[in-house]
Amino acid sequence: MGNLFSRMKQTISADFHDLLDKKEQKNPIGMLNQYLRQCEQETEKVGKLLERQYLLKEEFTREYNQAQNLAEKRKHQAEIAKQSGETDLMEFAVKESLHYEERAQSLKEAHKSAEVQLADLERKYEEMKHKLKDMHLKRLELMGRENIARANNRINRVLDGGSSEAKPVAMFEEMEHYIDRIEHQVHTDYNTHTIDARIVQLEKELEQKEA
């Protein structure tokens, strides 16, 4: 049973990809539009990640400033405790000051790394937007070329008659032959009717003379 479902899945997948290939061959501009929409969505996602990185950078800055301020505050408190002879309090303030200094140093490095990463992300994001814009312009170019090609194709179909089986000259010649046949039939019928009527008239005249 498992092999059966596996083969069915593979068959459906193959049919689906074959359908996509045929669709792409039939409407390449449509597939290109779909691809560009996907690129736009990815660009928007990167833009949101970039905004988030700005917020993280600002958060690093706030945390760094807070750690530095607390380190300076504890240093000042340790000095006051030392002058007051409060050894325990002094040791606690010194320990806290060192802790905040270490935190500030760690945050400083993290902030610097975030800045480098942000700059790299900004550069790549700009490249991504430029690439997307270039693809949009290329799409317009291709759409214009496709439009001209379709227009010329329709013009040629009208001017050249399209397929060899339906050339305009042949169509008009066939129509002329058809009209000629109708006209010939009309004249033939008219002449036949006229002759018959004339003979009948002559027969009547002969009969009158004999009488």
Side-chain angles (χ1 to χ4, degrees), residues 111-128:
H111 181 270
K112 184 177 180 180
S113 177
E115 283 187 329
V116 173
Q117 293 172 353
L118 181 59
D120 183 60
L121 187 59
E122 287 175 333
R123 178 181 59 81
K124 291 180 179 179
Y125 180 60
E126 290 301 318
E127 291 178 0
M128 196 174 186

Side-chain angles (χ1 to χ4, degrees), residues 122-198:
E122 287 175 333
R123 178 181 59 81
K124 291 180 179 179
Y125 180 60
E126 290 301 318
E127 291 178 0
M128 196 174 186
K129 290 194 295 183
H130 284 303
K131 185 67 175 179
L132 183 60
K133 183 66 175 180
D134 291 341
M135 286 192 293
H136 274 292
L137 295 177
K138 186 65 176 179
R139 180 191 63 170
L140 291 177
E141 178 187 348
L142 292 175
M143 289 176 66
R145 289 171 58 188
E146 183 199 33
N147 192 57
I148 292 298
R150 288 182 181 275
N152 285 327
N153 182 51
R154 292 184 178 277
I155 291 172
N156 292 336
R157 285 170 60 185
V158 172
L159 296 180
D160 299 336
S163 62
S164 58
E165 294 82 4
K167 296 291 185 181
V169 174
M171 293 175 63
F172 283 115
E173 287 180 351
E174 182 179 353
M175 181 61 68
E176 288 177 352
H177 290 321
Y178 173 71
I179 294 174
D180 288 340
R181 288 196 301 271
I182 293 177
E183 289 177 343
H184 177 72
Q185 185 65 39
V186 169
H187 288 304
T188 299
D189 293 344
Y190 174 76
N191 290 332
T192 300
H193 176 73
T194 302
I195 291 173
D196 291 341
R198 183 58 178 162

Side-chain angles (χ1 to χ4, degrees), residues 3-151:
N3 292 333
L4 176 61
F5 281 113
S6 178
R7 288 196 299 270
M8 289 177 61
K9 181 179 179 182
Q10 292 175 358
T11 301
I12 294 173
S13 178
D15 292 342
F16 176 72
H17 289 297
D18 182 59
L19 179 62
L20 286 182
D21 292 339
K22 291 180 180 179
K23 182 178 180 182
E24 184 174 359
Q25 293 175 2
K26 185 177 180 181
N27 188 10
I29 295 296
M31 295 298 294
L32 177 60
N33 290 336
Q34 181 178 350
Y35 173 73
L36 286 178
R37 284 193 294 271
Q38 293 174 350
C39 291
E40 289 173 348
Q41 292 173 357
E42 292 301 319
T43 303
E44 290 177 0
K45 291 178 181 177
V46 172
K48 292 179 179 179
L49 291 174
L50 187 62
E51 293 177 359
R52 183 181 180 187
Q53 192 66 18
Y54 280 121
L55 296 176
L56 290 173
K57 177 187 172 184
E58 294 176 357
E59 186 66 22
F60 278 130
T61 301
R62 285 193 295 269
E63 292 291 341
Y64 171 73
N65 291 333
Q66 183 180 15
Q68 271 198 323
N69 292 335
L70 289 172
E72 292 297 326
K73 179 180 179 179
R74 290 293 185 261
K75 281 183 180 180
H76 179 68
Q77 290 174 343
E79 185 63 27
I80 293 177
K82 181 181 179 180
Q83 293 175 3
S84 302
E86 296 289 339
T87 305
D88 293 340
L89 186 58
M90 181 194 70
E91 290 178 353
F92 175 80
V94 169
K95 184 178 180 180
E96 283 281 294
S97 176
L98 293 174
H99 176 77
Y100 285 122
E101 285 180 354
E102 291 177 359
R103 178 182 295 177
Q105 182 62 31
S106 177
L107 288 168
K108 183 178 181 180
E109 293 175 359
H111 181 270
K112 184 177 180 180
S113 177
E115 283 187 329
V116 173
Q117 293 172 353
L118 181 59
D120 183 60
L121 187 59
E122 287 175 333
R123 178 181 59 81
K124 291 180 179 179
Y125 180 60
E126 290 301 318
E127 291 178 0
M128 196 174 186
K129 290 194 295 183
H130 284 303
K131 185 67 175 179
L132 183 60
K133 183 66 175 180
D134 291 341
M135 286 192 293
H136 274 292
L137 295 177
K138 186 65 176 179
R139 180 191 63 170
L140 291 177
E141 178 187 348
L142 292 175
M143 289 176 66
R145 289 171 58 188
E146 183 199 33
N147 192 57
I148 292 298
R150 288 182 181 275

